[in-house]
Amino acid sequence: MRILVLTKRQYTSKDLIDDRYGRLWEIPSSLAKKGNEIIGICLSYRKKRSGLHVDEDENSMAVRWHSVNIGVFYIFGLIRFFLIARKMIKQYKPDIIWSCSDTFYGVLGYYFSRKYQCRSVIDLYDNFESFASYHIPILRTLFRKAVRESDGLSCVSTNLEEHIRINYKREKPIAVITNAINTETFYPMDKLECRKKLGLPLDAKIIGTAGDLSEQRGGHIMFRAMLEKKDQPLNVHLAIAGSRATGTMVPKSDRIHDLGTLPPRQVPVLINALDVAVVYNRTSLFGDYCFPQKLYEILACQRPIVAANVGVMSTILKDKPHLLYTEDDIESYVDAIKKQLANQEKLTITIPTWSNQADLLQNYMFSMISNA
């Protein structure tokens, strides 16, 4: 198949091309390795090297990414992106447009598919209703129409699939494609060696995580527990890394180790350094429908977890309620942490790779073309 990908370049606090990170890098790369011809067009909200980026493997199977800078005047950058995408679609004549990352790209992919008579698949890696762009009235209306009528829709969780079917009245098939992990990056490592690399105490009990530490995502419960629970053992430390919203305050303490924003390849080092990893979340338009990628990353590293009883985690851990804590409830959180520090229970859940998820998307797209 010839597949054209439309997306933004910066997402989940990472850069698609510089960091080679996550769903929007891994799935197109896996599709290319399976013999599909993939062209990607990404809009950068920061000044980056524009033009063609290609990182071919030994079999010359790679995505040809074209990066476009939005520039100082956003409207002109959006128009430039539109014109470049239109030109490439005319030249490339894709079978399918996979539009990702935000409402604008979903609308644009749907429009191009109707204009140039190809198939459109919109990818929802989160519930875009939690994004700022969804609150622009005309864009919201166009996005809901595109989601409802697009040939295909890939979404990150069964919760989100149900939400789309009920609230968008979509009747066409939906492919649920969860996030996955790169097994070359996330795997078990020696705990003490990882702690030495990060400068963490070797003999302490360490809990923590890597992710968005903002209060709206639920990260604040880790800080509150460290400061407010005076009865916890003195040797329990917290190690955290990740982005955080402006104004997020990480308390100063000898037992709190803030590693800032780690390069993607150091994230598994932090996870492997932990005694218990935390998958926090809060009930919201985001939290109810997301699929926490860090869950699979932690399980691939074979570390014990505790998780907020929110969204898909409620279903995944329904038979392990002692690993769940009630959001914003410090007593519940600390109780789950204490049990896991004592028991070190590890989950045995089948973890998909990005290649597995690309297979699902490829089969979904094949069925769409064969039914044309």
Side-chain angles (χ1 to χ4, degrees):
M1 288 182 293
R2 292 189 306 277
I3 303 169
L4 185 134
V5 183
L6 292 176
T7 182
K8 59 188 178 186
R9 180 165 169 171
Q10 290 82 27
Y11 75 110
T12 61
S13 303
K14 300 291 191 302
D15 186 285
L16 174 68
I17 294 173
D18 290 348
D19 296 322
R20 303 178 183 180
Y21 176 79
R23 183 184 186 94
L24 305 186
W25 171 271
E26 298 282 3
I27 289 181
S29 296
S30 294
L31 286 170
K33 290 174 182 176
K34 295 176 189 300
N36 300 288
E37 188 179 352
I38 314 293
I39 295 274
I41 311 173
C42 57
L43 182 62
S44 178
Y45 302 141
R46 302 172 194 151
K47 188 176 181 180
K48 296 286 185 176
R49 181 174 71 82
S50 59
L52 180 63
H53 297 255
V54 182
D55 180 34
E56 294 185 340
D57 66 8
E58 62 273 13
N59 297 314
S60 298
M61 305 299 290
V63 182
R64 299 172 64 83
W65 284 106
H66 292 259
S67 181
V68 180
N69 287 333
I70 197 167
V72 177
F73 301 102
Y74 279 21
I75 186 63
F76 296 123
L78 292 172
I79 292 172
R80 183 165 59 250
F81 181 80
F82 174 88
L83 294 176
I84 291 173
R86 184 180 67 176
K87 178 182 178 181
M88 293 186 66
I89 290 169
K90 286 181 178 180
Q91 292 177 346
Y92 183 51
K93 294 182 173 56
D95 299 304
I96 288 179
I97 297 173
W98 194 50
S99 45
C100 317
S101 74
D102 212 329
T103 54
F104 167 72
Y105 304 93
V107 170
L108 194 61
Y110 174 74
Y111 163 78
F112 281 139
S113 72
R114 295 301 178 262
K115 177 74 173 176
Y116 298 106
Q117 299 182 336
C118 59
R119 297 292 181 175
S120 168
V121 178
I122 297 174
D123 182 65
L124 304 180
Y125 74 78
D126 278 327
N127 180 12
F128 291 172
E129 292 173 25
S130 66
F131 289 20
S133 62
Y134 183 80
H135 300 286
I136 302 172
I138 188 170
L139 191 54
R140 177 172 63 244
T141 299
L142 292 173
F143 174 71
R144 293 182 70 90
K145 174 181 172 64
V147 167
R148 184 171 58 254
E149 298 181 3
S150 179
D151 301 298
L153 189 74
S154 52
C155 67
V156 76
S157 71
T158 53
N159 291 27
L160 185 54
E161 176 197 22
E162 182 180 10
H163 175 72
I164 294 298
R165 290 206 181 279
I166 294 172
N167 295 289
Y168 287 64
K169 310 300 181 187
R170 179 176 171 87
E171 297 179 353
K172 296 179 181 180
I174 298 174
V176 176
I177 299 176
T178 66
N179 288 328
I181 53 102
N182 184 333
T183 54
E184 295 180 0
T185 303
F186 291 91
Y187 54 87
M189 305 175 191
D190 182 84
K191 183 169 67 175
L192 292 182
E193 286 301 316
C194 290
R195 290 184 177 187
K196 289 177 183 177
K197 289 180 182 179
L198 297 174
L200 297 173
L202 302 183
D203 58 349
K205 296 291 186 182
I206 303 180
I207 61 176
T209 197
D212 188 332
L213 301 170
S214 305
E215 182 172 348
Q216 60 264 36
R217 296 289 177 87
H220 66 299
I221 196 167
M222 299 182 296
F223 309 141
R224 288 182 57 198
M226 291 297 292
L227 295 179
E228 297 177 23
K229 293 299 293 180
K230 304 302 184 183
D231 59 338
Q232 62 183 312
L234 294 177
N235 206 34
V236 173
H237 287 235
L238 174 67
I240 45 98
S243 62
R244 67 282 318 256
T246 302
T248 300
M249 299 297 295
V250 178
K252 301 294 183 183
S253 168
D254 292 339
R255 295 187 296 114
I256 298 178
H257 309 274
D258 183 2
L259 303 176
T261 302
L262 290 174
R265 290 199 170 268
Q266 282 196 290
V267 170
V269 178
L270 171 57
I271 293 173
N272 275 284
L274 303 174
D275 291 292
V276 177
V278 182
V279 182
Y280 50 82
N281 208 344
R282 298 182 84 181
T283 299
S284 66
L285 285 172
F286 171 82
D288 289 348
Y289 304 106
C290 71
F291 189 98
Q293 185 170 337
K294 67 179 146 227
L295 168 67
Y296 281 160
E297 294 174 349
I298 293 165
L299 296 186
C301 294
Q302 298 182 13
R303 305 313 302 145
I305 71 162
V306 300
N309 192 6
V310 174
V312 297
M313 296 305 301
S314 303
T315 302
I316 293 173
L317 296 179
K318 66 180 185 300
D319 296 326
K320 302 280 186 179
H322 53 287
L323 302 183
L324 293 168
Y325 69 87
T326 303
E327 61 174 308
D328 294 334
D329 185 329
I330 293 181
E331 296 292 338
S332 174
Y333 167 81
V334 170
D335 183 58
I337 289 289
K338 285 182 176 178
K339 288 177 180 177
Q340 272 294 62
L341 284 173
N343 300 329
Q344 292 287 285
E345 180 178 351
K346 299 175 184 178
L347 295 177
T348 54
I349 294 176
T350 301
I351 307 170
T353 65
W354 288 115
S355 180
N356 297 148
Q357 305 309 68
D359 281 334
L360 294 177
L361 183 60
Q362 178 177 258
N363 292 338
Y364 181 58
M365 289 177 169
F366 269 142
S367 68
M368 203 170 301
I369 293 174
S370 62
N371 292 328

